[in-house]
Amino acid sequence: YRPVSVGDITWALISEVDLSEAYQDVKTLRNQMAGVELITMLIVSLLGVIVAKSFTRPVEKIAVITRQFGEGDLTASVHVESKDEIGEMAGDIHKSLENLRTLMEELINTTNTLLSSSEELSAVSTQMASSAQAMDIQADRITETSEQVAASVSGAASAAEQSSSSV
């Protein structure tokens, strides 16, 4: 209802609208807002997945490398491009693997040197044992010869004594 004055006369203006027609704009606005909310949720979800992958991908790489390392594969290496804490951790793991590889190479070289020295020492020891046996045999021969010489000298002394007593 709305009063309308035309000259001295006041008229009343009444309008009638169906309820569905009156709420049509509200329904349209509600549907538009629901569409915008749905699109916004999809965009936010997609951004969330992208951000989560940017965190988990380097961590997954590090996990694979540490698993290989734990299984004894020292050739594995980590290459993560990020400059954040995860990238620093990957760099530290890479340095640790490099240091361990170097240490293992030095250990192998030292072991090979030690093995070579041990073989040389064993050969020298065998040679010394052989020489000691030869010296033992020679010592036995010298002892026998000395005993024979002593017996001969003793016999000569006895003969000299008998000859001197007969004179």
Side-chain angles (χ1 to χ4, degrees):
Y1 164 80
R2 182 169 181 204
V4 176
S5 298
V6 178
D8 289 342
I9 300 176
T10 302
W11 294 81
L13 183 63
I14 296 176
S15 142
E16 184 178 326
V17 178
D18 285 338
L19 189 58
S20 62
E21 185 181 342
Y23 285 120
Q24 183 63 38
D25 290 338
V26 172
K27 287 180 184 178
T28 302
L29 182 62
R30 181 196 65 200
N31 291 341
Q32 287 175 347
M33 287 178 63
V36 168
E37 286 177 4
L38 181 62
I39 291 171
T40 302
M41 286 190 323
L42 288 174
I43 290 172
V44 167
S45 295
L46 182 62
L47 287 174
V49 168
I50 291 170
V51 168
K53 281 290 185 185
S54 73
F55 286 120
T56 58
R57 192 171 296 121
V59 172
E60 288 171 350
K61 284 182 181 180
I62 292 170
V64 167
I65 297 304
T66 55
R67 190 173 310 113
Q68 289 174 341
F69 173 68
E71 293 171 355
D73 181 7
L74 298 180
T75 61
S77 63
V78 179
H79 297 289
V80 175
E81 301 296 325
S82 66
K83 303 293 181 196
D84 58 1
E85 292 84 1
I86 293 173
E88 287 180 18
M89 181 176 64
D92 291 341
I93 289 174
H94 181 75
K95 287 177 190 174
S96 296
L97 288 172
E98 286 293 321
N99 290 340
L100 189 58
R101 272 191 284 271
T102 301
L103 183 64
M104 290 302 290
E105 288 172 3
E106 290 175 0
L107 183 61
I108 288 170
N109 291 337
T110 302
T111 301
N112 288 336
T113 302
L114 193 61
L115 178 63
S116 176
S117 297
S118 173
E119 289 172 351
E120 289 176 16
L121 188 59
S122 177
V124 168
S125 176
T126 302
Q127 187 178 14
M128 286 178 68
S130 176
S131 296
Q133 273 184 332
M135 288 175 71
D136 187 41
I137 290 170
Q138 288 178 356
D140 286 344
R141 285 183 187 160
I142 290 172
T143 303
E144 287 175 14
T145 305
S146 295
E147 287 174 356
Q148 288 173 358
V149 167
S152 295
V153 167
S154 179
S158 287
E161 228 179 82
Q162 284 176 357
S163 272
S164 96
S165 42
S166 350
V167 180

